[in-house]
Amino acid sequence: VDPGYNWTAETYHNQISSGEFDYEERSHRLCSPIQNIRTDIRESVFADAGYNYNYDISTAAPTILYQYYQTVPSYYGLVLETIEDYIVNKHSVRDELSVSSDLDPGIIKKILNGLFNGAKLSVHYNTQLFRLIGYDIAKMRYLQQHPYLNALRADIKEMWCVIKADQPKSYYTDRFCKDGSPRQRQYGSKAKWNLYFRLERNVLNSIKAYLQARDCRYFLEHDGFR
């Protein structure tokens, strides 16, 4: 038996057996140290404790954001076909990109999720996705010109344009502005992630209420539950 299994089972025995877990809220997410335990160990410990079902939202960020896009007041009925295709065919899209770009499938998944929340395909050294691929200029140039990614990026841009139109505006005072007038804060990656985490939490709250009404033991994992 893996020592990590024994440590996890013993350390968190009371929480797992009772279904009463200690969470800390961070940016709309409920966090537990158990979520950081190696996946195979975590799954084995929960399965042996009778948590027989494991669910998550398929393609969570694209799905939740796209569904939200279709509900905002500024939505005018435009179907974003490449986003819809990615949600349905995520595995084949990731596999093709992984093979053609010579990047690990896990990295491709992170790149795609990043694009949905404001990350850029750029060769600037301070950008997240360039760092993620090891500052490989040739691979980034390949991703920048990929037809599917370009179509997806165009859809994502349109989606956020519609969503942003109904978001509260935030302002700040720039000391370099001569007239002292407030400037509107850009709706950047941080704001996009914050909105996504808030939407994700709304979904999780509904799931939580459903499980509580049925007296189930459950453990929450951001966009999933056991």
Side-chain angles (χ1 to χ4, degrees):
V1 177
D2 190 310
Y5 176 98
N6 290 333
W7 181 88
T8 302
E10 292 173 7
T11 302
Y12 297 104
H13 170 76
N14 290 340
Q15 293 186 48
I16 293 172
S17 61
S18 67
E20 298 292 330
F21 294 94
D22 296 326
Y23 299 102
E24 179 183 350
E25 183 159 358
R26 300 177 200 156
S27 301
H28 304 294
R29 284 190 150 186
L30 294 176
C31 300
S32 162
I34 303 174
Q35 295 163 351
N36 299 321
I37 293 170
R38 206 174 75 205
T39 301
D40 59 330
I41 293 176
R42 187 172 69 251
E43 289 181 345
S44 295
V45 170
F46 274 105
D48 291 345
Y51 292 72
N52 298 316
Y53 304 99
N54 182 19
Y55 303 87
D56 67 2
I57 302 170
S58 179
T59 330
T63 299
I64 290 175
L65 289 170
Y66 186 59
Q67 290 183 0
Y68 180 69
Y69 153 79
Q70 294 173 309
T71 68
V72 298
S74 293
Y75 176 64
Y76 57 97
L78 181 64
V79 174
L80 303 177
E81 294 182 358
T82 310
I83 289 181
E84 290 194 354
D85 177 77
Y86 175 62
I87 289 171
V88 174
N89 302 301
K90 65 176 181 179
H91 294 298
S92 60
V93 170
R94 292 173 187 169
D95 289 345
E96 188 280 325
L97 284 169
S98 175
V99 172
S100 64
S101 66
D102 193 28
L103 288 168
D104 184 83
I107 290 178
I108 292 295
K109 179 181 178 181
K110 290 179 180 179
I111 289 172
L112 289 163
N113 278 343
L115 292 178
F116 273 90
N117 287 289
K120 306 294 184 184
L121 293 178
S122 169
V123 293
H124 291 290
Y125 277 81
N126 63 344
T127 54
Q128 172 195 356
L129 299 187
F130 195 36
R131 183 168 59 251
L132 183 64
I133 65 171
Y135 304 105
D136 190 313
I137 294 177
K139 289 181 180 179
M140 181 55 74
R141 293 300 188 203
Y142 176 81
L143 296 174
Q144 287 176 327
Q145 59 79 43
H146 195 284
Y148 190 91
L149 286 180
N150 284 338
L152 184 63
R153 289 159 71 191
D155 273 6
I156 291 170
K157 182 178 180 180
E158 178 61 30
M159 178 186 74
W160 277 113
C161 183
V162 172
I163 290 175
K164 285 190 294 185
D166 298 304
Q167 296 302 306
K169 304 298 185 289
S170 175
Y171 296 89
Y172 68 99
T173 301
D174 188 340
R175 63 189 178 91
F176 297 107
C177 184
K178 293 182 179 179
D179 63 3
S181 58
R183 296 187 178 186
Q184 185 173 322
R185 200 178 300 278
Q186 285 190 333
Y187 200 83
S189 183
K190 183 177 180 180
K192 291 174 181 178
W193 275 113
N194 185 65
L195 174 62
Y196 168 66
F197 288 146
R198 182 160 55 83
L199 296 172
E200 179 191 75
R201 180 63 180 276
N202 289 342
V203 174
L204 205 62
N205 285 345
S206 295
I207 291 167
K208 184 178 175 182
Y210 178 90
L211 296 172
Q212 287 178 334
R214 282 148 187 80
D215 197 27
C216 294
R217 289 186 307 168
Y218 59 86
F219 179 64
L220 305 174
E221 297 190 37
H222 304 320
D223 65 341
F225 60 100
R226 300 178 184 277

